[in-house]
Coordinates of all heavy atoms in Angstrom, one line a residue:
Y66 N 126.6 113.6 113.2 CA 126.5 114.3 111.9 C 125.2 115.0 111.8 O 125.2 116.2 111.4 CB 126.7 113.2 110.8 CG 126.2 113.7 109.5 CD1 127.0 114.4 108.6 CD2 124.9 113.4 109.0 CE1 126.6 114.8 107.4 CE2 124.5 113.8 107.8 CZ 125.3 114.5 106.9 OH 124.9 114.9 105.7
H67 N 124.1 114.3 112.1 CA 122.8 115.0 111.9 C 122.6 116.1 112.9 O 122.0 117.2 112.5 CB 121.7 113.9 112.1 CG 121.5 113.0 110.9 ND1 122.2 111.9 110.7 CD2 120.7 113.2 109.8 CE1 121.8 111.3 109.5 NE2 121.0 112.1 109.0
L68 N 123.0 116.0 114.1 CA 122.8 117.1 115.1 C 123.6 118.3 114.7 O 123.2 119.4 114.7 CB 123.2 116.6 116.5 CG 122.2 115.6 117.2 CD1 122.8 115.2 118.5 CD2 120.8 116.2 117.3
A69 N 124.9 118.0 114.3 CA 125.8 119.2 114.0 C 125.3 119.8 112.7 O 125.2 121.1 112.6 CB 127.2 118.7 113.8
K70 N 124.8 119.1 111.7 CA 124.4 119.6 110.5 C 123.1 120.4 110.7 O 122.8 121.4 110.0 CB 124.1 118.5 109.5 CG 123.8 119.1 108.1 CD 123.6 117.9 107.0 CE 123.3 118.5 105.7 NZ 123.2 117.4 104.7
A71 N 122.3 120.0 111.7 CA 121.0 120.7 112.0 C 121.2 122.0 112.7 O 120.3 122.8 113.0 CB 120.1 119.8 112.8
G72 N 122.5 122.3 113.1 CA 122.8 123.5 113.8 C 123.1 123.4 115.2 O 123.4 124.5 115.9
M73 N 123.1 122.3 115.8 CA 123.3 122.2 117.3 C 124.8 122.4 117.5 O 125.7 121.9 116.9 CB 123.0 120.8 117.8 CG 123.2 120.6 119.3 SD 122.7 119.0 120.0 CE 120.9 119.3 120.0
K74 N 125.1 123.3 118.5 CA 126.4 123.6 118.9 C 126.9 122.7 119.9 O 126.1 122.1 120.7 CB 126.5 125.1 119.4 CG 126.0 126.1 118.4 CD 126.8 126.1 117.1 CE 126.2 127.2 116.1 NZ 126.9 127.1 114.8
D75 N 128.2 122.5 120.0 CA 128.8 121.7 121.1 C 128.3 120.3 121.1 O 127.8 119.8 122.1 CB 128.6 122.4 122.4 CG 129.3 123.7 122.5 OD1 130.4 123.9 121.9 OD2 128.7 124.7 123.1
V76 N 128.4 119.6 120.0 CA 128.1 118.1 120.0 C 129.5 117.4 120.2 O 130.4 117.6 119.4 CB 127.5 117.7 118.6 CG1 127.3 116.2 118.6 CG2 126.2 118.4 118.4
V77 N 129.5 116.5 121.2 CA 130.7 115.8 121.5 C 130.4 114.3 121.4 O 129.5 113.8 122.1 CB 131.3 116.1 122.9 CG1 132.5 115.3 123.2 CG2 131.7 117.6 122.9
L78 N 131.2 113.5 120.7 CA 131.1 112.1 120.6 C 132.4 111.5 121.3 O 133.5 111.9 121.0 CB 131.0 111.6 119.2 CG 130.9 110.0 119.0 CD1 130.0 109.7 117.8 CD2 132.2 109.3 118.8
L79 N 132.1 110.5 122.2 CA 133.2 109.9 123.0 C 133.2 108.4 122.6 O 132.2 107.7 122.7 CB 133.0 110.0 124.5 CG 132.9 111.5 125.0 CD1 132.6 111.5 126.5 CD2 134.2 112.2 124.7
E80 N 134.3 107.9 122.1 CA 134.5 106.5 121.7 C 135.6 105.9 122.5 O 136.7 106.4 122.7 CB 134.8 106.4 120.2 CG 135.4 105.1 119.7 CD 134.6 103.9 120.1 OE1 133.3 103.9 120.0 OE2 135.2 102.8 120.5
K81 N 135.4 104.7 123.0 CA 136.3 104.0 124.0 C 137.6 103.6 123.3 O 138.7 103.5 123.9 CB 135.7 102.8 124.6 CG 135.3 101.7 123.7 CD 134.6 100.6 124.4 CE 135.5 99.8 125.3 NZ 136.5 99.0 124.5
S82 N 137.6 103.2 122.0 CA 138.8 102.8 121.3 C 139.0 103.6 120.0 O 139.7 104.6 119.9 CB 138.8 101.3 121.1 OG 137.7 100.9 120.4
E83 N 138.3 103.1 118.9 CA 138.4 103.8 117.7 C 137.0 103.6 117.0 O 136.2 102.8 117.3 CB 139.5 103.3 116.8 CG 139.4 101.8 116.4 CD 140.6 101.4 115.6 OE1 140.5 101.6 114.4 OE2 141.5 100.8 116.1
L84 N 136.7 104.5 116.0 CA 135.5 104.4 115.3 C 135.3 103.1 114.6 O 136.2 102.5 114.1 CB 135.4 105.6 114.2 CG 135.5 107.0 114.8 CD1 135.3 108.0 113.6 CD2 134.5 107.3 115.9
T85 N 134.1 102.6 114.7 CA 133.6 101.3 114.1 C 134.2 100.1 114.8 O 134.2 99.0 114.3 CB 133.9 101.2 112.6 OG1 135.3 100.9 112.4 CG2 133.5 102.4 111.9
A86 N 134.8 100.2 116.0 CA 135.5 99.1 116.7 C 134.5 98.0 117.2 O 135.0 97.0 117.6 CB 136.3 99.6 117.8
G87 N 133.2 98.3 117.2 CA 132.3 97.3 117.7 C 131.7 96.5 116.6 O 132.4 95.9 115.7
S88 N 130.3 96.4 116.5 CA 129.7 95.6 115.5 C 129.6 96.2 114.1 O 129.4 95.5 113.2 CB 128.2 95.3 116.0 OG 127.5 96.4 116.1
T89 N 129.9 97.5 114.0 CA 129.8 98.2 112.7 C 130.7 97.6 111.7 O 130.4 97.4 110.5 CB 130.0 99.7 112.9 OG1 129.0 100.2 113.7 CG2 130.1 100.4 111.6
W90 N 132.0 97.3 112.1 CA 133.0 97.1 111.1 C 132.8 95.8 110.3 O 133.2 95.6 109.2 CB 134.4 97.0 111.7 CG 134.7 95.8 112.5 CD1 134.4 95.5 113.8 CD2 135.3 94.6 112.0 NE1 134.8 94.3 114.2 CE2 135.4 93.7 113.1 CE3 135.8 94.2 110.8 CZ2 135.9 92.4 113.0 CZ3 136.4 92.9 110.7 CH2 136.4 92.0 111.8
H91 N 132.0 94.8 110.9 CA 131.8 93.5 110.2 C 130.4 93.3 109.8 O 130.0 92.2 109.5 CB 132.3 92.4 111.0 CG 131.7 92.3 112.4 ND1 130.5 91.8 112.6 CD2 132.2 92.6 113.6 CE1 130.2 91.8 113.9 NE2 131.3 92.3 114.5

Side-chain angles (χ1 to χ4, degrees):
Y66 163 84
H67 282 90
L68 290 179
K70 186 175 181 179
M73 180 176 286
K74 306 298 182 185
D75 298 325
V76 176
V77 175
L78 181 144
L79 302 175
E80 160 57 38
K81 63 184 290 294
S82 55
E83 60 182 279
L84 301 185
T85 77
S88 61
T89 296
W90 76 272
H91 55 78

